[in-house]
Amino acid sequence: MSRPRFALFAACMLLSAAGALGRQAGPARGSQQRPNIVLMFPDNLGWGEVGVYGSVRGVPTPRIDRLAAEGMRLNNFNVEYSCTVSRAALLTGRYSVRLRVVGALAPSDRAGLPASELTIAEALHARGYATAMIGKWHVGHAPESLPPAQGFDQFFGIPFSSDVTPLRLMRGTSVLDDSADVSTLTERFTDEAVRFVDEHADRPFLLYLAHSAPHAPLLVAERFRGKSQGGRYGDAVES
């Protein structure tokens, strides 16, 4: 069974766009003019929650605003709905219904991203990229659906949303913690992402960083608790 061409087309379109930007900015160190790609996908963050798009709750987001100021800001974007389907579409460039992935997967579900699908990670890995998925996966927890089987060299994260119990924190296909502390996840995922970038500075890489926040439960590190203008949700956004 051949893999769908549209997924490959989506992957190539991302490569082409990133490549054009990379040529304008100059090649990254050791990249041979192949740009590094960091794709960030926070969970349940509304577009109007961040400063550059209005910050409707008055929560400061200076790091995100700086990315917009130094890069490109888009004003029209369409995406599949819901946790699982939006991630499946993002990874493959296909409507989730074509992947037979609908709704938000639960631990009792055996469905997931089919092994036959071509992901952006597989397309880039074939071109010599190091690939890592850090954070919330939520497109299947069977071995054939987990990140190591979908083109990612490294996986550090949770297979479902942060409100699912037991909350398993995984590395690769192994469970590190069967009851992870939600309040530590944002910083743990960020630290892992920074480590991956530092370790692959001389090689083109794809980092898919999918923070599990600000999805409920709204638990954050002590230094962010009660500090924002937007209540507990605002604390999670600011964190």
Side-chain angles (χ1 to χ4, degrees):
M1 177 178 177
S2 61
R3 292 186 170 186
R5 286 181 290 178
F6 180 68
L8 180 59
F9 172 77
C12 289
M13 285 297 289
L14 177 55
L15 274 173
S16 298
L21 291 173
R23 285 192 294 274
Q24 291 172 10
R29 179 163 55 97
S31 68
Q32 298 177 345
Q33 297 188 1
R34 288 178 294 173
N36 296 323
I37 299 171
V38 180
L39 180 59
M40 294 181 286
F41 192 14
D43 193 12
N44 277 15
L45 178 67
W47 71 271
E49 307 289 357
V50 299
V52 70
Y53 289 112
S55 189
V56 294
R57 298 172 195 255
V59 177
T61 55
R63 304 297 189 271
I64 296 175
D65 298 349
R66 181 178 174 184
L67 287 173
E70 296 180 359
M72 181 184 297
R73 187 163 70 94
L74 306 179
N75 294 305
N76 190 344
F77 181 69
N78 300 281
V79 67
E80 287 262 58
Y81 76 101
S82 180
C83 292
T84 297
V85 297
S86 62
R87 293 162 200 276
L90 180 71
L91 287 164
T92 64
R94 305 187 77 210
Y95 288 118
S96 63
V97 67
R98 299 184 184 277
L99 309 174
R100 298 182 181 178
V101 175
V102 293
L105 294 179
S108 58
D109 292 318
R110 297 300 296 174
L113 198 60
S116 59
E117 292 299 327
L118 178 65
T119 68
I120 183 64
E122 290 174 308
L124 288 168
H125 193 277
R127 297 191 60 171
Y129 274 65
T131 56
M133 193 280 140
I134 298 170
K136 173 184 169 178
W137 179 240
H138 210 176
V139 286
H141 62 285
E144 65 272 14
S145 296
L146 285 170
Q150 296 290 344
F152 290 99
D153 299 320
Q154 299 182 33
F155 169 48
F156 178 74
I158 56 178
F160 300 101
S161 298
S162 52
D163 60 344
V164 171
T165 54
L167 182 59
R168 295 192 174 97
L169 180 64
M170 304 180 68
R171 185 177 294 281
T173 58
S174 301
V175 176
L176 298 178
D177 189 343
D178 219 354
S179 185
D181 183 350
V182 173
S183 68
T184 69
L185 291 183
T186 293
E187 292 180 322
R188 292 178 78 173
F189 292 157
T190 300
D191 289 345
E192 186 78 11
V194 171
R195 188 177 304 113
F196 174 81
V197 169
D198 287 343
E199 291 175 353
H200 296 83
D202 295 315
R203 176 184 175 185
F205 62 77
L206 164 69
L207 169 60
Y208 173 35
L209 174 59
H211 275 298
S212 55
H215 193 289
L218 300 173
L219 302 174
V220 297
E222 178 65 34
R223 65 193 180 97
F224 286 103
R225 293 176 194 165
K227 301 298 175 59
S228 82
Q229 299 285 325
R232 293 175 62 191
Y233 180 83
D235 292 348
V237 171
E238 190 168 341
S239 171

